[in-house]
Amino acid sequence: MNNKYDFYIDESCHLEHDNIPVMCIGYIKVPMNEYDELQKKFNEILKKHNQKSELKWNKFSNARTTLYKELVDYFFLSSLQFRCVLVKYKERLNHADFNQGSHDNFYYKMTYYLLRPNNSNGDEYRVFIDIQNTRGREKLKKINEVFENEYKGKSPFRQFQHLHSHDNNFFQLADFFIGAITYKTRVVMKNIENPTQSKMDFIQYLEAKSGFNLEEGTEPWETKFNIFDHQPKIKL
């Protein structure tokens, strides 16, 4: 019997000229046959902590750290998986030579590399991406075409669709993880000089649970919590 999974993709610091040297795009991978139960447990945690608004890293609250840590525990005790592409030294990106002159093309190329390790072993996938702009549908179509060509018309990626992040908890969990990864990386790169202590405490908790430093890449075969460290070459 084939396994079926949903991917919920979100990003942090993806804009080209935001004076932030990193960007991150990542997903939460959800087994479809466990979706209802996983969603139920997630909602129970939110209800327990009276969390009614959308969970987002840029709305981090010192008073909510217990909630955030409980969601980390929930993730590591569940069948959910996380993977991201962490791009460092964003100012080095050479779109003219490698991305047809477009930062949008680079963004969707990173989406392709994010998904690529999920090989065709009989499993089937649906991909949901947080809505970025009105041109996104065309780019998703191109990603789909690349996978179809790669798998000679038998791609395991059966559906690509845009959704609003506030419509699904797993988008929000992806946002929180990649937000933490981006924040820690910016601190290490000294792009943030006075980090918030409560955020750093949470990051330390996430690092302890995952077993990895968030600003560093993990081994390629890591499946539960995978970080791919991508550093563009220096322009000559």
Side-chain angles (χ1 to χ4, degrees), residues 49-66:
H49 294 274
N50 197 32
Q51 177 71 24
K52 297 179 180 179
S53 60
E54 183 178 1
L55 186 74
K56 293 186 71 68
W57 177 259
N58 63 12
K59 295 180 180 179
F60 189 101
S61 168
N62 297 348
R64 295 288 184 180
T65 53
T66 302

Side-chain angles (χ1 to χ4, degrees), residues 48 60 105 135 150 157 161 163 171 182 198 211 229 234:
K48 172 183 173 182
F60 189 101
N105 285 339
R135 293 176 294 169
E150 183 170 322
F157 294 92
Q161 182 178 338
L163 294 176
F171 275 130
T182 303
S198 58
D229 186 344
I234 298 175

Side-chain angles (χ1 to χ4, degrees), residues 57 60-62 64-66 68-69 72 76 175-188 192 194-216 225 227:
W57 177 259
F60 189 101
S61 168
N62 297 348
R64 295 288 184 180
T65 53
T66 302
Y68 305 149
K69 290 179 179 179
V72 170
F76 283 101
D175 174 279
F176 217 75
F177 283 173
I178 63 179
I181 290 167
T182 303
Y183 192 87
K184 173 68 183 301
T185 305
R186 292 177 63 193
V187 169
V188 172
I192 297 177
N194 298 301
T196 304
Q197 188 57 51
S198 58
K199 287 185 176 180
M200 296 305 295
D201 288 344
F202 169 79
I203 286 169
Q204 186 177 25
Y205 187 83
L206 180 54
E207 289 181 329
K209 287 290 183 177
S210 67
F212 303 109
N213 293 323
L214 297 190
E215 79 279 10
E216 299 175 0
F225 194 89
I227 302 173

Side-chain angles (χ1 to χ4, degrees), residues 143-157:
I143 294 172
N144 187 35
E145 290 174 354
V146 169
F147 280 116
E148 285 293 327
N149 290 335
E150 183 170 322
Y151 288 99
K152 296 179 171 48
K154 297 181 179 180
S155 171
F157 294 92

Side-chain angles (χ1 to χ4, degrees), residues 81-135:
Q81 295 179 15
F82 170 79
R83 184 172 192 267
C84 73
V85 176
L86 172 62
V87 181
K88 298 176 182 174
Y89 307 105
K90 197 165 61 179
E91 69 277 4
R92 295 179 184 173
L93 292 172
N94 185 350
H95 294 320
D97 290 343
F98 298 106
N99 303 304
Q100 295 81 46
S102 168
H103 187 70
D104 281 346
N105 285 339
F106 172 76
Y107 173 86
Y108 284 94
K109 184 183 291 185
M110 290 301 99
T111 304
Y112 168 75
Y113 285 118
L114 173 71
L115 293 168
R116 191 177 184 184
N118 296 277
N119 55 34
S120 181
N121 56 2
D123 294 344
E124 297 179 5
Y125 310 121
R126 298 188 305 181
V127 181
F128 301 99
I129 299 180
D130 187 19
I131 292 176
Q132 296 302 314
N133 55 53
T134 55
R135 293 176 294 169

